[in-house]
Every structure is written in C-alpha cells, then in structure tokens.
Amino acid sequence: MDANQLFLVVVFFLYGLAFFSMGLAIILEGGRSSDELIRLSLRPLAVFGILHGLNEWIDMLKQMGLNLNESQDLLLFTINLIMLAFSFISLSAFGFSLLSSDMKKRRLSFLAPLILAGIWGIGLTMLSGSYAILPGKCQVACAWTRYSLGIPAALSASFGLIAQQRTFRRAGLISFGRDSLVAAIAFAWYGIIGQLFVKQSRLPPSTFLNEDLFRAWFGFPVQLLRAGLAIIVAISIIRFMRSFDEEIRRQISDLKDSKLHEAQKREELRGRLLNQVVSAQESERQRIARELHDDTGQTLTAIGLGLRGVYSKVNENDTGVKQNLRKLEAMTSNALNEIQRIILNLRPAHLDDLGLAAAIRWFLNDVRNHTDTVIHFTTVGEEVPVNDAIKITTYRVIQEATTNMLKHAHAKNYHVELTYKKNQIQIETRDDGIGMDPKILAEQNMQSWGLIGMQERINLLEGQFKISSSQGHGTRIKIEIPYQTENSKIISTSEEKTDDN
C-alpha cells in the first residue's frame, strides 16, 4: 500500500467515523426533545449517519486491497450501492420532514423521498441497458446515485436546517441556531461539491467533472473535502442536540417559576384570608365587649342597686334576710367586676383611649396581681402613633407571650421592653424560667398554637418573629414590625368597615 492509498484509507475512516458517530449520538440523545416533529425528523438522519458511515468504511476496505472472488465482489458491490442509495433517501426524509410545519405535512413529506427513490431506480434500470453496471465498473451506478439522490438529499437537509435555525432564533436560542446554520451550509457544500465531483465514468457530466479534475484544481482529493464537511456536520448536529438540554433546563425553570408563582398566590390568598379572620376576630371581640358593657354590665349594676334598695327597706329584725341580701349584692358586684375584666381582655379601652404603651402597662399591672413573678416593663424612645392593626397585634402578642410565660416558664423575673425605632416598633420579652431544649424548639413551635398564632400575626404585618431558648436559661422573644405595611392597611380598612357596620 503506497502513501496515497494509506492517506485515502485514513480519510475514509474519518469520513465514516464522523457520520457513524453522528448517527449513534442521535439514537442515544434524539428522543429527548419535547417537540415530536424534531424527534421524528432526527430518526432518518440517524439512519443516514449509520448507513453512510458503513458505506465509507466499505470504500476504505476496498482501498486496503481486499482479495475477493467474483461472487464476494458482486455481493459487496450490491451492499455498497444499496447502502449509499438508502442513506441518501434517509437524508432527504430528514430534510423534507424538517421543512414540514405540522404532523400532517410531515406525513405528506415522505412522498418526496419515495419520488427520489423511484427516479433513482428507474434511472438505474435505464442506465443498465446502456452501461455496464458490474463490480469493478460501478462508476456509472455510483455517479447516478450521487447525482439523483445525493445532491437533492443534501440540499433538502440544508433547507430543513435553515428552517430550524429560524425556529431557534425565534425561541431565543441563538447559539443553537448558529449550529443549525453551520450544519446547513456544510450539507449544501457536501451536496453541491462533494456529490458533483465523482469518479470518472461514461455518464455525463462525470466524463469531465470528476475527482481527477477536482484534484487538479485544488491539489487534494475530493474525499478529503467530504470528510471535512462530514466532521463539521457531525459536530454541528451534536451541538444542535444540546438544545434539548437547554429545552429541559427551560422546562424545569418554567416549572419552578410556575410552582413559585402558585405558592406565592397561595400565600397571598392565605394572607388575605388570615387578614379577614384576624379582622373578624377583633371586630367580634369588640362587639362582645360592647354588648357585655351595655347589656350585661348595666343589668348587673341595676340588680346591685335594686338589692341595695331592698336591703334598706327590710326590717332591722330580719337579720337573715339582710345577710342574704348582702351576699347577693356582693356576688353581683363580683360578677360585675369579672365582666369588666373580661371586657378589658376582649378590647381594652386603654388601647383606644391612652395608647399602646399605657394599655400594655395596665395589662401587666393586672397580671402582677395574680402572680408571684416580678414583672418589669420599660419603653425606649418617643412613642409613635401607630395604626390599629399594629396596636392590636403588639398588644395580643405580648398578651400571648405573657400567658405562655405564666403557664410554662416558672420564672421569677419577666421583662417586657417596647422600643420605638425610626422605621419600626420592636418588642422583646425575656424570662429566667426553665426554658426549652433548642433541639425540640422547632417541634415545640409547630405544636404550640400560641406561638404559631403570634408568628402568623407578625407575618401578616411583614414583621420578624424570633424566639430563642435553652434549658435553665429562660426564653427570649424578639419581634420587629414596620410602622406602615400593605397588610396593616388592609386590616385597618377591614376593621373600619366592620366598625361602621
């Protein structure tokens, strides 16, 4: 084997390897696209790559000088010619399929490869009557196959890839559109130049436009050009299929965005519902407090006054009756005091009349009368007028935190600090009680409706809620609420409407 033959062997090997690798890559990766039209279109391209690669390797074996008998030579010639023809038919199916805009047109597009196959078969039959189409003299058959199938197939693939490049550009996938365009240009050169300069034969125009003329013009064999274009096509198509990864990433991103949007909508809806619940709860507290004050409280007052009047008219000798009247009057007074306490817990008048700090101070003073825990209350900064939503939330949170401390902490000292800052109000409570295990704090948080309620109220006002605790070192709660938030506007508006009603 001389140097020229060895060079052609290497060229045919790389030529076949490029297309064969492309076919395998499409088989492995071509089914990942969500576009059914592209998935189906790539299948015939995979067939082209496998068959054309094997065909070039057969030509490589011929260059290596195989010793075959007549029947083996005929069989190899037949296989070689059929593989070449069917590879080009598959390539044309790929091109016309890409040019189809929908599945119905794609099914019709298969008529084009069938027509090309019919032209090739009829032409080969007609040529066999004028030229010898035998092993060793197959130049006419090979030239006709490349003229009638190779050129139109490569051009159809080129046009199809150009159409796909426009689709990529519209989708914003510029780099993949560029790969598609490179593959289209390579297929066009492969069809026009690579399939036009064939082995010299008696079939025009190969009589003068052939491989020998190409080598004389450019100084290298046309097989090298075909191999180079095959490598470019293979690389471009493989890069083209990377768009499937980008497509999957986009689908995942869109799915995440969709889920995030749905979660945000659910959270927004939950916030609105919670706003309405809190607003309705406070309005109902206010209504019950008003009715207890106006109806039940006045009734008990009237009963007490009536009992006192009856007591003054009872004969001095009826000591038993007077004692009973005194007891009834005392019970009525106690019931009235209890009603007043319930009214203040439901909706403390101090909150509306004297402000937030005064209401908290009154509440903590009332708690001092029922516990041995030493309670400290301090305010920091100049008091800032805040809307009803912030006042009510702050008061209820301190109320809940204090109740939890009394029930669970067993603390000797309890500190409440209310701080008015430039942009927010800050509440901090801390005690020296038994505390909680930090490992189960999260679980305790999930199980305690009181803590959940506090956190939900703070979240509604776009505030921050933090709790820290350790065994034997008490519990600390820190809350920050911005002075004016969108949700606080909603709550205040809802309460005003409820009050007006």
Side-chain angles (χ1 to χ4, degrees):
M1 182 184 301
D2 58 22
N4 186 51
Q5 286 180 316
L6 180 60
F7 175 74
L8 285 178
V9 166
V10 174
V11 168
F12 278 121
F13 174 75
L14 294 175
Y15 184 5
L17 181 63
F19 278 137
F20 192 84
S21 300
M22 180 189 74
L24 283 180
I26 294 172
I27 291 173
L28 295 174
E29 302 291 333
R32 298 173 63 189
S33 174
S34 62
D35 189 333
E36 185 180 9
L37 191 62
I38 293 181
R39 287 202 312 271
L40 296 177
S41 299
L42 285 172
R43 291 177 183 176
L45 183 62
V47 175
F48 162 77
I50 298 295
L51 292 180
H52 211 72
L54 293 174
N55 174 76
E56 299 308 321
W57 283 340
I58 291 176
D59 286 341
M60 177 188 70
L61 294 176
K62 291 179 180 178
Q63 289 293 326
M64 295 172 66
L66 292 178
N67 293 321
L68 302 175
N69 56 38
E70 185 176 345
S71 60
Q72 291 173 336
D73 196 17
L74 177 61
L75 178 61
L76 188 63
F77 159 73
T78 304
I79 293 174
N80 196 9
L81 184 62
I82 292 175
M83 288 177 64
L84 182 65
F86 272 88
S87 68
F88 285 136
I89 292 172
S90 299
L91 181 61
S92 67
F94 163 71
F96 286 113
S97 181
L98 277 186
L99 289 170
S100 305
S101 57
D102 52 51
M103 295 302 297
K104 183 177 180 181
K105 291 181 180 179
R106 181 183 179 276
R107 286 190 288 269
L108 292 175
S109 70
F110 282 117
L111 292 174
L114 293 176
I115 291 172
L116 288 177
I119 292 173
W120 172 75
I122 293 171
L124 194 63
T125 303
M126 294 175 63
L127 289 173
S128 64
S130 303
Y131 304 99
I133 301 178
L134 297 171
K137 297 182 179 179
C138 66
Q139 287 83 354
V140 170
C142 292
W144 170 246
T145 301
R146 293 184 183 275
Y147 289 159
S148 61
L149 295 178
I151 294 176
L155 291 178
S156 67
S158 177
F159 292 140
L161 286 167
I162 290 174
Q164 186 60 40
Q165 182 253 355
R166 293 173 180 169
T167 302
F168 278 137
R169 288 180 65 87
R170 286 194 296 269
L173 302 174
I174 306 300
S175 61
F176 302 113
R178 192 180 302 115
D179 293 330
S180 182
L181 182 61
V182 170
I185 295 172
F187 264 127
W189 279 80
Y190 183 76
I192 296 173
I193 306 299
Q195 308 307 314
L196 192 60
F197 288 89
V198 297
K199 290 183 179 180
Q200 184 177 7
S201 71
R202 295 169 57 193
L203 179 67
S206 65
T207 52
F208 64 93
L209 201 63
N210 50 49
E211 295 177 358
D212 296 334
L213 179 63
F214 184 91
R215 187 157 194 161
W217 282 357
F218 300 103
F220 60 89
V222 70
Q223 289 84 356
L224 182 61
L225 175 66
R226 293 175 188 167
L229 293 172
I231 293 172
I232 293 173
V233 166
I235 293 174
S236 300
I237 292 296
I238 292 173
R239 287 173 58 88
F240 162 93
M241 288 192 297
R242 285 174 52 206
S243 65
F244 303 156
D245 295 330
E246 179 66 22
E247 181 183 13
I248 292 172
R249 281 194 293 270
R250 284 193 174 190
Q251 289 175 349
I252 293 173
S253 177
D254 291 343
L255 182 60
K256 287 182 178 178
D257 291 342
S258 176
K259 288 186 175 180
L260 179 61
H261 181 65
E262 290 178 3
Q264 289 173 341
K265 287 180 66 177
R266 286 196 300 270
E267 187 64 22
E268 182 181 353
L269 179 60
R270 188 189 67 83
R272 290 179 179 177
L273 291 174
L274 196 54
N275 277 336
Q276 295 177 5
V277 169
V278 171
S279 176
Q281 184 185 53
E282 293 298 331
S283 298
E284 186 66 10
R285 284 170 178 262
Q286 193 172 19
R287 183 189 66 80
I288 293 173
R290 186 168 54 246
E291 289 186 359
L292 286 174
H293 179 273
D294 295 342
D295 298 334
T296 309
Q298 291 181 8
T299 301
L300 288 173
T301 301
I303 291 172
L305 292 174
L307 290 171
R308 185 172 299 175
V310 171
Y311 177 85
S312 64
K313 294 180 180 181
V314 173
N315 193 321
E316 293 292 337
N317 297 324
D318 296 332
T319 56
V321 175
K322 284 192 172 186
Q323 287 179 354
N324 288 333
L325 288 174
R326 283 291 186 185
K327 289 180 180 179
L328 290 173
E329 186 180 354
M331 291 173 62
T332 303
S333 178
N334 290 335
L336 185 59
N337 291 335
E338 184 65 20
I339 289 293
Q340 291 297 330
R341 190 184 66 81
I342 293 172
I343 290 172
L344 289 174
N345 284 332
L346 285 171
R347 179 73 180 192
H350 306 76
L351 196 61
D352 298 320
D353 299 335
L354 302 178
L356 177 61
I360 295 173
R361 185 174 289 107
W362 168 85
F363 167 72
L364 293 176
N365 284 335
D366 184 61
V367 172
R368 286 190 186 100
N369 298 327
H370 302 87
T371 181
D372 295 331
T373 303
V374 180
I375 298 177
H376 308 270
F377 174 62
T378 56
T379 59
V380 179
E382 184 177 354
E383 185 169 356
V384 177
V386 294
N387 61 27
D388 285 345
I390 296 177
K391 283 196 297 186
I392 293 169
T393 298
T394 303
Y395 182 82
R396 295 301 183 201
V397 165
I398 291 177
Q399 196 177 39
E400 182 64 35
T402 304
T403 302
N404 285 344
M405 182 275 298
L406 293 174
K407 287 182 179 179
H408 308 294
H410 306 294
K412 294 181 179 179
N413 293 279
Y414 178 60
H415 297 266
V416 178
E417 185 176 283
L418 178 66
T419 305
Y420 293 94
K421 293 191 173 182
K422 183 178 180 181
N423 299 316
Q424 64 184 8
I425 188 170
Q426 180 177 298
I427 308 103
E428 182 175 334
T429 69
R430 61 184 184 276
D431 63 68
D432 57 0
I434 60 175
M436 291 183 286
D437 188 344
K439 294 181 180 179
I440 63 172
L441 181 58
E443 298 178 4
Q444 187 72 13
N445 190 11
M446 292 303 295
Q447 295 170 1
S448 172
W449 289 108
L451 292 175
I452 292 175
M454 284 192 285
Q455 189 161 8
E456 291 290 352
R457 281 179 175 270
I458 299 305
N459 289 341
L460 278 177
L461 298 179
E462 301 173 11
Q464 299 292 325
F465 177 90
K466 297 178 182 177
I467 180 170
S468 58
S469 182
S470 61
Q471 285 184 329
H473 294 86
T475 301
R476 179 181 179 183
I477 296 175
K478 187 175 182 180
I479 296 165
E480 296 175 349
I481 305 174
Y483 284 132
Q484 189 64 58
T485 65
E486 193 63 31
N487 282 334
S488 66
K489 292 179 184 178
I490 295 172
I491 296 175
S492 298
T493 304
S494 301
E495 289 174 355
E496 289 169 6
K497 290 181 179 178
T498 308
D499 294 343
D500 293 340
N501 293 336

